[in-house]
Amino acid sequence: MAGTTKKAASGAGSIRKKTVTRNGKQYQFWEARFTVGTDPGTGKQIQRSITGKTQKEVREKLQAATLEVSRGDYFQPSKITLRRWVEIWLDEYTGDKKYLTVKHYRAACNNHILPALGAVKLSALTVPQIQAFYNALQREGLAAKTVRNIHGILTKCLSTAVQVGYLRDNPAQRVTLPKVQRREIVPLTDEQVRAFLQVSAGDEYEILLKVILFTGLREAEAMGLTWDCVDFAAGSLRICKQLQKRPLRDGGFTFAPLKNDKARTIHAAGSVMALLERRKREQAAQRLQAGELWEAWRTDSERETALVFTTATGGHLSPQTVYNHYKKLAAQIGAPESRVHDLRHTFAVLSLQNGDDVKTVQGNLGHATAAFTLDVYGHVSQRMKDDSAQRMERYIQAASAPR
């Protein structure tokens, strides 16, 4: 390696042209070295270097770096790639996140972020690069909400890099994101609810589906409901966990915290409690019929904390099987596109239509805020709009009447 040194301005560092040989070929580049401070342990100067293809490029970088040193805000760029940082972030900085959240992070990183940006040096990542990445995702057909979800993950990842000193700032915070068109909520109509009650009678999952419809529980919350959380005397249900189906290597069926980590108590309608009493008798009969094949409990104390909704042998219900049963029933009532989750939406709309205040509906659904409940459900019911117009008309007529 050979090099000639060209002195820069006093105190600003030095620039030199360097030649290196790799695989029998010579390559030339320019390098600048400058001092960023003194090692408190040894008293020696701390040197940093900048390289580039031209002397002008290196001189400009050197001037910017030495100005930062003089101002006391010099930042040493990280040399690791985005791929390496993402690996570190997922392994070391997501321990406070839920299982499904981390699983979602990994999928987004492996399927989208790393294939497009993984080879870029973390410190070289720019706003235009990230913007082009998001635009490409949209051209490939990804929904705006999906792109925003990917953006949220990348933003969290890069914000942590800023916190630990690998980045000066977060370039993902300065992009333009696509607008999300909220998916229209389509609850069951009154006629479809009546038809559902009829066609579901006698179905293996009748009670589960009706409980979801008339309590607004999420499917995983209903499937994770245990008998110790059912208070027949008070007519209430305590919702404090959900049942997740994970790969066997990750524990299989597992109780997990609620979506917002906040337990709630639902005061259910008498008909709902009657359904649960019927379910308790039904489960006892299944226990006798299954005999030694019964999985749910072995002792009376185990029975108290056993799952309310199980298979005929006391095992965990399969979300896919529940979905398949509901889709068949939905087709029979003229709602083939309806999902199990739409039963929860139907409960919310029915509650609002029948006069429940938003705060009560929020609490029953387990939403974080009443504003979120209003945002999701405040516009979906034509009956609510008609009722509002009729109330205003009555007021106008009363106010306009001669005295």
Side-chain angles (χ1 to χ4, degrees):
M1 179 185 293
T4 58
T5 302
K6 176 180 176 62
K7 284 288 185 183
S10 177
S14 60
I15 301 176
R16 65 177 181 172
K17 190 174 185 179
K18 301 184 71 173
T19 302
V20 296
T21 302
R22 294 173 183 166
N23 300 323
K25 293 184 179 181
Q26 287 189 332
Y27 300 88
Q28 292 185 333
F29 62 94
W30 289 85
E31 179 188 54
R33 294 187 65 81
F34 59 101
T35 301
V36 298
T38 303
D39 188 318
T42 64
K44 296 181 179 179
Q45 291 183 335
I46 301 174
Q47 294 282 310
R48 294 288 183 262
S49 64
I50 296 172
T51 60
K53 294 181 179 179
T54 66
Q55 184 181 20
K56 179 182 178 183
E57 175 190 356
V58 172
R59 183 182 298 112
E60 291 174 350
K61 289 182 179 179
L62 177 61
Q63 289 172 347
T66 53
L67 178 60
E68 291 176 353
V69 172
S70 67
R71 290 193 308 230
D73 59 357
Y74 173 74
F75 182 84
Q76 175 65 26
S78 171
K79 296 181 179 181
I80 67 172
T81 63
L82 177 63
R83 178 178 300 277
R84 179 58 186 141
W85 169 244
V86 166
E87 292 171 351
I88 294 171
W89 178 69
L90 288 172
D91 290 340
E92 306 296 340
Y93 292 94
T94 59
D96 61 330
K97 306 301 181 187
K98 297 177 182 177
Y99 169 84
L100 288 182
T101 300
V102 177
K103 184 178 180 180
H104 174 61
Y105 285 1
R106 289 188 182 278
C109 290
N110 293 332
N111 295 334
H112 301 291
I113 296 173
L114 295 183
L117 301 171
V120 180
K121 282 188 177 180
L122 183 62
S123 59
L125 194 60
T126 65
V127 176
Q129 281 178 313
I130 298 174
Q131 186 69 63
F133 166 53
Y134 294 160
N135 295 344
L137 291 178
Q138 283 191 280
R139 289 194 296 270
E140 292 169 6
L142 265 67
K145 186 175 187 302
T146 303
V147 174
R148 280 180 169 265
N149 289 342
I150 293 170
H151 165 73
I153 294 167
L154 181 59
T155 300
K156 289 183 178 70
C157 178
L158 297 181
S159 291
T160 305
V162 173
Q163 293 170 10
V164 301
Y166 279 3
L167 279 178
R168 182 191 296 278
D169 61 8
N170 186 346
Q173 293 178 332
R174 300 193 299 279
V175 298
T176 300
L177 296 174
K179 292 184 178 180
V180 176
Q181 298 295 327
R182 184 184 292 278
R183 174 177 175 173
E184 183 181 1
I185 290 173
V186 185
L188 299 182
T189 65
D190 290 343
E191 293 74 16
Q192 288 172 335
V193 170
R194 285 193 289 269
F196 176 75
L197 296 181
Q198 293 177 358
V199 301
S200 62
D203 185 88
E204 181 179 356
Y205 296 98
E206 171 194 0
I207 299 176
L208 169 65
L209 295 173
K210 287 182 177 178
V211 167
I212 293 174
L213 172 60
F214 294 125
T215 63
L217 294 182
R218 299 178 178 91
E219 184 180 358
E221 294 172 344
M223 293 173 60
L225 185 65
T226 50
W227 286 115
D228 58 319
C229 293
V230 179
D231 188 335
F232 288 106
S236 64
L237 309 177
R238 178 168 172 75
I239 312 304
C240 56
K241 57 188 177 297
Q242 59 180 325
L243 187 67
Q244 287 181 352
K245 183 181 180 182
R246 302 179 181 179
L248 290 177
R249 65 178 180 275
D250 293 332
F253 281 98
T254 303
F255 285 121
L258 297 177
K259 190 171 183 180
N260 64 359
D261 291 321
K262 190 175 181 180
R264 66 189 189 277
T265 298
I266 295 175
H267 293 277
S271 296
V272 172
M273 301 310 296
L275 283 170
L276 292 171
E277 288 176 341
R278 177 180 149 199
R279 172 58 195 154
K280 197 163 191 177
R281 295 191 299 271
E282 179 182 86
Q283 192 177 60
Q286 290 175 334
R287 165 70 181 89
L288 291 175
Q289 187 172 0
E292 292 300 319
L293 298 178
W294 186 250
E295 304 174 48
W297 69 78
R298 293 295 177 186
T299 66
D300 289 341
S301 60
E302 289 179 354
R303 181 178 184 178
E304 291 178 1
T305 58
L307 289 170
V308 172
F309 299 107
T310 58
T311 65
T313 56
H316 303 98
L317 294 183
S318 165
Q320 185 62 49
T321 303
V322 175
Y323 170 85
N324 292 339
H325 271 259
Y326 178 71
K327 293 300 285 185
K328 291 178 182 178
L329 298 172
Q332 293 180 51
I333 64 173
E337 300 301 318
S338 183
R339 309 159 300 160
V340 175
H341 197 72
D342 290 322
L343 295 177
R344 172 175 163 87
H345 292 321
T346 302
F347 166 81
V349 175
L350 289 175
S351 298
L352 292 168
Q353 284 180 345
N354 286 287
D356 285 355
D357 63 88
V358 174
K359 192 66 178 176
T360 298
V361 177
Q362 172 215 338
N364 286 337
L365 295 174
H367 287 164
T369 65
F372 179 82
T373 306
L374 273 176
D375 185 44
V376 174
Y377 296 108
H379 65 288
V380 298
S381 174
Q382 186 60 46
R383 178 190 293 179
M384 293 170 63
K385 297 176 183 178
D386 293 342
D387 289 346
S388 175
Q390 291 172 11
R391 287 193 296 271
M392 181 55 68
E393 178 61 23
R394 287 194 295 270
Y395 175 82
I396 294 172
Q397 292 299 331
S400 304
R403 296 181 180 274

